[in-house]
Amino acid sequence: ASFTISLHKADNTTVMIKLRPGLSPSCRIRMKNVIMSELKIKPGENVTFTFTCFTPEKYFIMEIQKNIDCVSGPCPFGDVHLYPPGLPRLNRTYIWDVKASTKAGLELKFSTSWLRQIEPGETCPDSVSYSINSSIDKATVNIGTFCRNGSVSRVKLLGGVVMSLHLPWHLPLTTSGFNIANRASIKRLCIIESILKGESSITLMSPNYPLGFPEDELMTWQFVIPPSMRASVFFHNYSLSNCERKEERVEYYIPGSPSNPEVFRLSDSQPANIAGSFNMSLQGCDQDAQNPGILRLLFQVVVQHPQVDENVTHLVDLSKEKNMTVTIHLERWPSHIPLMSEPICLICKDPRTCDRVLTLTSGAVYRISFLCKDLSRLRITAEKGIGCMDIRWCQRKVYSLSVPKAITQLPIRLHKFIWKILATDLINVEIASPSLKLQQVPDQRCNTSYSYSIISATPETELNVGVFCPGGSIEKIQMRNNITISLKTFGKGFHNESIPQDLKMSFVPHIKDECTFTVSPNPKAKVYLQTPNWPSGLPPYVSISWFIIVPSKQTTHLRFSEDRMGIACETGHAYINIKEEALGAEEIARREDELLPQPRNMLHNFWVNISNCKPVDKKQLTLQFWVTFADKPIDLGIILAVVAGAGVLIVIGLTVYCVKKKKKKTQNAMVGVYNANVNTQMPGKKGLFGKGRQNNESHVYAVIDDAVVYGHLLKESNGSVSPEVDVYRPFDGPIGTLPPSPPPFSFRKDIKRSSNTEEEPQPLMDTDQDTYTFAHQKSGQSEGNGDANKKGDGDTSVPLLESKEQEGLVE
């Protein structure tokens, strides 16, 4: 097919058809038997031509440039048409080069579809794009590249303008979509007007972006927003030039503001929650000629409906906290930067200071609010520092590692709370969970709503102690050097956790191992333990210990998951040591080249120590073991001994009862003579009685037989029976003021049974020199009395009062 292009000279339009850059000339232009690779048609020419191929759009592009001189003559203001008609279907670019005086301003007004600014290198979905350049004298400034279907409705420029419209070959567009109007001087580089009617988000850039904004220039963005909507400004990318005079800044003119214009640095948080329309201006400075630098800005304006609870503020009291920061942010921050098209969620520390990320520091009280439809997208990350440089000031202090109420009362889910504990080389850290206790989990997942991740860091290495859940058997962990403890939550259940956190931290003196665990299990528990840094393995030369408390009346079964350590040492040896805390207990030790100890039962508290060497290859030492508990077996011999002892006591009791019964029938008077010169105080029992002998009645008999009271009558009677009295032998020792207080039977039994190696003072043994003597009948009076007489010179170790009490019990 042939094409005819006719250009009027007055239109001052030129058409150029040329090959696409980088393509071989497989297709040519034929005009009057002349083959050519490009064709230029000037004003006033009429040209007919054809292509030598059927698909010229694959090889050729076309530029249509119209020059408009508004300096020497009148300007053709109004709608801009696509001229000339009848052009071949090629990718084409229309260029309007308008020359104008800097004393006047030009306005490009877009009627059919407003524009949306895009970054350099970005393409438009429909391949239709506009490029706007400002032309002042011989300098050209790229105002920006725009696509259709946006919010930019007008662009006002100082001086001339070069406007380009890029169209694809298949789009039969007949109108340019904008008009040109004359305006008074705007006294700045340009003004870009943007109309935002509903909830929306737009991105805009400074001229020449990503190159530098012109030196000491001023430009303005005008945002037309309904009064019922709220707008917020966010700077996403900016850089500053090196200023010799003035200062680069951003100025806001907000209707109704008492301090217009409001001036901000580019590094400041920009205004948010603005009601209705406002203007924003960017002001450059005089740059250093030797090192000018670059001033550039990419920012976002978000427009949204006012939130239902925009006037609801939440009190965050951090006035009593120290070394703590609280950051409220979107989920997956900071690794995930939300797209500008995503629904906005803002956190405000005052009505006009809002951002997607807000950081609060300790020592102040904040009243924050949220501009967010879905608060479940927000998270809290907090960090607190605790330090100790002198153990004398820190040793007795216990720190509670719990999340402050100022955080838990917010309607935002806690993501992580981090405690960073710093100490010198000679000070170590102990964390304890006295009631909940901790459980080590290899899969880093807990059944509870949160877990603790513990890392011990030294200048040489970092030891990942492990991930722990509440509700286990580990009561204490002692670690060296600087510690990082991270509480991480799972799901929404953390705020509803019925059991409060009980993790405590204190500073302790230096320990020999890198880490020591104290395990105090439930008697019915099965406790799994593993080396830190799982599954990577212990770093070289690291030593770890576990102290396992065996519950009373229980025995512990210890078992390793593997038969060997599974490493070969290049330097030193790796060891496993097991030692019970019992007198004479044997220590079990194994090296890396030996089999691990067989499963064994432990009757007492015991230690397990694992120390690593420097392995030959990269594989480090990893070990798992577990302990289970069972009731101690009852010794059958003890049961038989108890039963036999009970039987003997019953027989003795019956015998005493029968003898006493028989004795009462024929008993004569029994007179007890007390020798006051005998000291019966037991050694080591001074002060047992508070009163002296003269001030109490401890020497008075509790029981006196009737026959004893009337014994003198028997002397005067004609009877042939006269009482025979035994008397103590002389005693030359010191005489005390306390009454006799012999030790109970159980005391002597405890002394014999005690396994203590410390020597205790032995009780004074009863002898015939410190006992009472009793009158008894002559032999032959009765069988019972005869037995008593035989025993009179024998065992007298039972005092009268105890004997009477025992007889009374038997009776």
Side-chain angles (χ1 to χ4, degrees), residues 182-466:
N182 188 19
R183 290 290 179 264
S185 177
I186 57 176
K187 298 181 181 180
R188 61 200 67 203
L189 176 64
C190 66
I191 299 174
I192 298 176
E193 179 187 82
S194 185
I195 300 176
L196 299 125
K197 293 183 176 180
E199 284 196 335
S200 56
S201 171
I202 62 169
T203 302
L204 295 166
M205 284 144 274
S206 58
N208 277 347
Y209 187 89
L211 302 178
F213 186 70
E215 181 180 7
D216 197 24
E217 275 290 357
L218 172 68
M219 74 158 294
T220 299
W221 290 271
Q222 294 178 336
F223 299 100
V224 181
I225 300 169
S228 60
M229 305 296 286
R230 300 292 183 267
S232 302
V233 180
F234 304 97
F235 287 3
H236 292 295
N237 189 14
Y238 69 89
S239 64
L240 303 176
S241 57
N242 299 315
C243 297
E244 281 190 344
R245 292 186 301 116
K246 300 182 183 179
E247 184 181 5
E248 296 164 338
R249 62 190 184 274
V250 180
E251 297 179 356
Y252 291 88
Y253 181 85
I254 302 174
S257 173
S259 57
N260 280 323
E262 297 184 19
V263 180
F264 292 81
R265 293 189 296 268
L266 275 73
S267 57
D268 294 336
S269 291
Q270 303 303 309
N273 203 25
I274 302 171
S277 302
F278 68 97
N279 293 350
M280 169 185 152
S281 298
L282 175 64
Q283 175 66 63
C285 67
D286 289 336
Q287 298 173 349
D288 184 353
Q290 302 298 325
N291 184 21
I294 292 177
L295 170 62
R296 59 186 173 191
L297 173 64
L298 183 148
F299 66 99
Q300 181 185 17
V301 177
V302 177
V303 178
Q304 57 191 146
H305 290 289
Q307 303 301 306
V308 176
D309 57 349
E310 67 172 336
N311 295 322
V312 176
T313 59
H314 302 270
L315 181 68
V316 183
D317 187 358
L318 303 179
S319 58
K320 296 181 181 179
E321 299 291 342
K322 295 180 180 179
N323 302 322
M324 189 169 81
T325 60
V326 178
T327 302
I328 305 174
H329 54 86
L330 286 170
E331 58 184 339
R332 293 181 291 164
W333 173 88
S335 60
H336 171 72
I337 299 175
L339 299 175
M340 296 178 189
S341 58
E342 289 184 22
I344 193 72
C345 255
L346 301 179
I347 309 103
C348 308
K349 63 180 179 181
D350 60 59
R352 289 274 300 282
T353 307
C354 306
D355 209 334
R356 290 184 173 182
V357 178
L358 178 64
T359 298
L360 311 176
T361 57
S362 55
V365 178
Y366 302 89
R367 293 186 179 275
I368 65 173
S369 59
F370 302 98
L371 293 177
C372 184
K373 286 185 176 180
D374 185 8
L375 291 180
S376 65
R377 298 176 58 211
L378 294 176
R379 298 289 184 269
I380 297 175
T381 297
E383 184 175 307
K384 183 178 179 65
I386 304 173
C388 179
M389 298 298 111
D390 191 338
I391 192 66
R392 294 175 296 176
W393 300 102
C394 316
Q395 188 169 5
R396 296 183 180 180
K397 189 170 183 180
V398 178
Y399 301 84
S400 174
L401 302 187
S402 58
V403 180
K405 290 184 179 179
I407 295 176
T408 57
Q409 68 185 5
L410 290 174
I412 306 299
R413 175 178 155 189
L414 175 68
H415 171 61
K416 189 179 290 186
F417 197 107
I418 303 169
W419 291 272
K420 291 193 172 181
I421 305 166
L422 306 178
T424 61
D425 290 341
L426 298 179
I427 302 175
N428 296 145
V429 174
E430 177 182 285
I431 62 170
S433 180
S435 57
L436 292 179
K437 301 181 185 178
L438 299 177
Q439 174 189 358
Q440 193 172 11
V441 288
D443 56 358
Q444 301 189 5
R445 190 72 185 182
C446 297
N447 295 327
T448 54
S449 63
Y450 64 96
S451 68
Y452 295 103
S453 173
I454 303 175
I455 296 175
S456 171
T458 66
E460 297 81 18
T461 183
E462 182 177 276
L463 181 67
N464 183 4
V465 179

Side-chain angles (χ1 to χ4, degrees), residues 23-36:
L23 292 182
S24 60
S26 302
C27 187
R28 300 295 186 90
I29 301 171
R30 179 184 290 116
M31 186 179 65
K32 295 180 180 180
N33 299 325
V34 177
I35 303 299
M36 59 189 72

